[in-house]
Amino acid sequence: MDWSLKIDAALPRPLRIIFRGVGQVFFCCNAVTGFIFLLALFIGGLAAGAAATVGVISSTMAAHVLGFSEDDIDAGLYGFNGTLVGPCLFLFLEHSPQLWLYVVLASILSSVVLAALMRILHPYNVPASTSPFVLTCWMFLVAVYAFDSFTRGPILPPPGIPTIVTGVGALPAEIWFIALAKGVGEVMFADSVIVGILFLVGIAIVSLRGALMAVGGAVVGLIVPMLFGANQNAIEMGLYAFNPVLTMMAVGWVFLKPTGRSAALALLAGILTVVCQAGLASFLTPIGLPTLTFPFVLVMWMFLFAAGMSKYWSAPSAK
């Protein structure tokens, strides 16, 4: 929307870059949208909002100090992985004063990893997206075993053999909306209906198609797990939805020409993301790591690579 672009342009450059970095979590290069996202995180929890703020500032400053592309920094591309790193570590690790240093170091590393992956993937015209966040957080979550100052939080499951699924069943119709909203909010680890709604509002400011793709991903993450017999509690919390949300936005709005065909491809990608997430969850359970957004990254990469071989979809543009 024009009014949001005017506000974006009028903001001081440091604020504009920081807010754009938060907005880029949902592919939105817009400071107004990023501000709404960050406000939503603070509404969901002060610790999560503060951790996201520290993360986006640390990763962005690291990119500037290391001399990475100013255009990419201005677009917020070195901020969104740090935005995710902060809430992730605060969710899965016990809170301690040292944890803030941990967040800063992990956010800085996410920018280094992003720059490296951008260089590797550039010839293939495929984006690194949230893969630096995933790789960085996996490393830091495993590293806590070597440090006495850090311990795993209760939400992070201990290593073990995958067990048979229990609590299977269809969700009552009256809580579908709650599950859909939480599915969007869980992209940034927010178990909140209000946060999910605010995220959708922020996306819609930039693009209605983008918001529709996000809603479509949340619907896929609700219906497909129910059809396959996934755990009802996990579905209700939106844990099967946040990856399809990102996948459908990436394939159906951002990296391919926005057409009916790309929307259909996005739907297929979203469905397969649910399957990929289930498989990766079973694969990672023995080492006690969460899937994070890796199912989205893996499926998006495969579909964008495949799109380049098809006569129906234009090649993606790396971002």
Side-chain angles (χ1 to χ4, degrees):
M1 295 184 182
D2 290 342
W3 63 267
S4 67
L5 295 177
K6 291 179 181 178
I7 296 175
D8 176 281
L11 287 174
R13 184 171 180 260
L15 279 179
R16 183 170 64 249
I17 292 174
I18 294 302
F19 288 144
R20 283 180 176 179
V22 180
Q24 286 284 11
V25 172
F26 285 97
F27 312 102
C28 297
C29 182
N30 187 298
V32 175
T33 291
F35 172 77
I36 293 174
F37 290 169
L38 195 58
L39 177 64
L41 285 175
F42 273 103
I43 292 173
L46 292 178
T53 302
V54 171
V56 67
I57 292 174
S58 300
S59 59
T60 303
M61 288 184 63
H64 179 72
V65 171
L66 293 171
F68 297 151
S69 167
E70 288 296 326
D71 289 340
D72 290 341
I73 294 174
D74 285 344
L77 296 185
Y78 282 100
F80 68 94
N81 280 286
T83 300
L84 291 169
V85 163
C88 176
L89 295 182
F90 262 79
L91 176 66
F92 291 119
L93 299 179
E94 291 286 355
H95 295 185
S96 66
Q98 296 92 330
L99 185 54
W100 291 104
L101 175 61
Y102 216 51
V103 169
V104 171
L105 293 175
S107 301
I108 291 172
L109 179 60
S110 73
S111 287
V112 176
V113 175
L114 175 59
L117 287 175
M118 288 174 70
R119 185 177 180 87
I120 293 171
L121 295 172
H122 179 72
Y124 308 103
N125 211 24
V126 171
S129 196
T130 60
S131 57
F133 147 68
V134 174
L135 296 175
T136 299
C137 283
W138 278 350
M139 188 188 75
F140 273 72
L141 289 176
V142 172
V144 298
Y145 290 113
F147 303 132
D148 184 60
S149 299
F150 305 99
T151 55
R152 297 161 62 94
I155 294 180
L156 188 63
I161 303 300
T163 58
I164 297 176
V165 177
T166 58
V168 176
L171 292 182
E174 60 269 18
I175 65 173
W176 275 41
F177 175 78
I178 295 174
L180 291 174
K182 285 186 176 183
V184 179
E186 285 288 355
V187 171
M188 295 198 208
F189 308 98
D191 182 27
S192 168
V193 174
I194 295 176
V195 172
I197 293 173
L198 287 175
F199 284 174
L200 286 174
V201 170
I203 298 168
I205 288 175
V206 175
S207 168
L208 289 176
R209 182 183 176 95
L212 288 174
M213 287 293 110
V215 172
V219 171
V220 167
L222 177 64
I223 295 177
V224 174
M226 284 196 297
L227 292 176
F228 289 167
N231 178 269
Q232 180 177 342
N233 187 54
I235 299 172
E236 183 179 346
M237 292 176 64
L239 299 183
Y240 277 101
F242 67 92
N243 274 295
V245 165
L246 292 174
T247 301
M248 288 195 63
M249 290 181 71
V251 176
W253 170 47
V254 181
F255 298 113
L256 296 180
K257 183 184 294 184
T259 63
R261 280 177 171 168
S262 63
L265 188 67
L267 177 60
L268 175 60
I271 293 171
L272 293 177
T273 299
V274 174
V275 180
C276 181
Q277 180 172 336
L280 284 172
S282 297
F283 180 78
L284 293 171
T285 295
I287 55 177
L289 284 178
T291 60
L292 302 178
T293 59
F294 192 58
F296 145 66
V297 171
L298 188 60
V299 173
M300 177 195 64
W301 279 349
M302 295 304 101
F303 270 74
L304 293 186
F305 275 121
M309 300 295 292
S310 171
K311 64 181 179 180
Y312 296 118
W313 294 282
S314 58
S317 56
K319 185 175 180 180

